[in-house]
Amino acid sequence: MIKAIVIKLSQTWPSVLSKSNRQSEICMRFKELLYENYKNNKDIKFYADLLAISENYLNRCVKHVTNKAPKQHINEVVIYNSKVLLQDSSKDISQVAFELSFSDASYFGRLFKQVTKFTPTQYRNSLKQDLSEHLHESS
C-alpha cells in the first residue's frame, strides 16, 4: 500500500515541480520586463502580451510566487523610482510625474500616497528635514 502511494506521488511530483518552475520563470521574466518598461507601460496587459500569456495567468503566476499581484509590483517599482527622482528638488512634482509617463500629476500623487502613505510633497519635505537633522548632528 505504501509503495503504491509513493509511486503515485512520484508520478505527480514532476508535473507539480514543472508547474511551479513555469510560474517562477514567468514571474522572473515579468520582473525583467517590468524593470525595462515601467516608465512607459504600467498596464498588466502589456506584460501579459509580451509573455504571450493571459492577464489572468500572469496574475496567478506572480501572486503564487511572490504573494503580490503584478499591479502591486508595477506600482512599487514606479514609486521607488519616483522617490529617487523626488530627491532632485529642482524638479517639481508634475515634472517627476511626467518623467514617469503619468499624464495626470494628481493621479501620480494619489498613487504615491496610496503606496507610501505620504504625498510627494510630504515625502520631499521629510527628505529635507532628515538632511537638515543629519547636518546638525555632524557639526
Side-chain angles (χ1 to χ4, degrees):
M1 180 73 159
I2 293 176
K3 185 177 180 182
I5 292 171
V6 169
I7 290 171
K8 186 68 175 168
L9 284 174
S10 68
Q11 291 170 344
T12 60
W13 284 341
S15 66
V16 168
L17 290 174
S18 67
K19 181 180 180 190
S20 179
N21 288 340
R22 172 84 172 128
Q23 288 178 332
S24 295
E25 183 181 313
I26 286 171
C27 185
M28 265 189 0
R29 187 71 185 119
F30 162 70
K31 286 184 172 186
E32 289 170 1
L33 292 169
L34 174 58
Y35 295 126
E36 293 168 10
N37 298 287
Y38 72 90
K39 279 188 180 179
N40 298 317
N41 296 290
K42 298 170 186 63
D43 186 28
I44 296 168
K45 183 176 178 359
F46 170 82
Y47 297 100
D49 289 348
L50 284 178
L51 293 165
I53 59 175
S54 71
E55 289 179 65
N56 199 10
Y57 188 60
L58 177 59
N59 274 309
R60 274 199 320 257
C61 290
V62 173
K63 182 81 171 172
H64 174 78
V65 173
T66 67
N67 290 323
K68 293 181 189 175
K71 192 64 179 171
Q72 188 175 351
H73 285 281
I74 294 168
N75 290 344
E76 287 174 357
V77 168
V78 169
I79 296 307
Y80 174 80
N81 284 283
S82 71
K83 285 179 173 182
V84 172
L85 295 173
L86 286 166
Q87 291 176 21
D88 180 357
S89 58
S90 69
K91 294 179 183 174
D92 64 31
I93 307 297
S94 59
Q95 286 174 306
V96 171
F98 180 74
E99 196 168 324
L100 292 167
S101 299
F102 284 92
S103 57
D104 181 4
S106 63
Y107 173 71
F108 164 71
R110 287 191 307 273
L111 177 64
F112 191 94
K113 185 165 185 172
Q114 177 188 346
V115 173
T116 67
K117 309 295 185 239
F118 297 100
T119 66
T121 303
Q122 289 170 328
Y123 175 77
R124 185 174 265 173
N125 290 340
S126 75
L127 290 175
K128 289 177 187 173
Q129 184 177 358
D130 290 348
L131 180 60
S132 173
E133 289 172 3
H134 181 72
L135 290 174
H136 288 315
E137 289 172 4
S138 310
S139 49

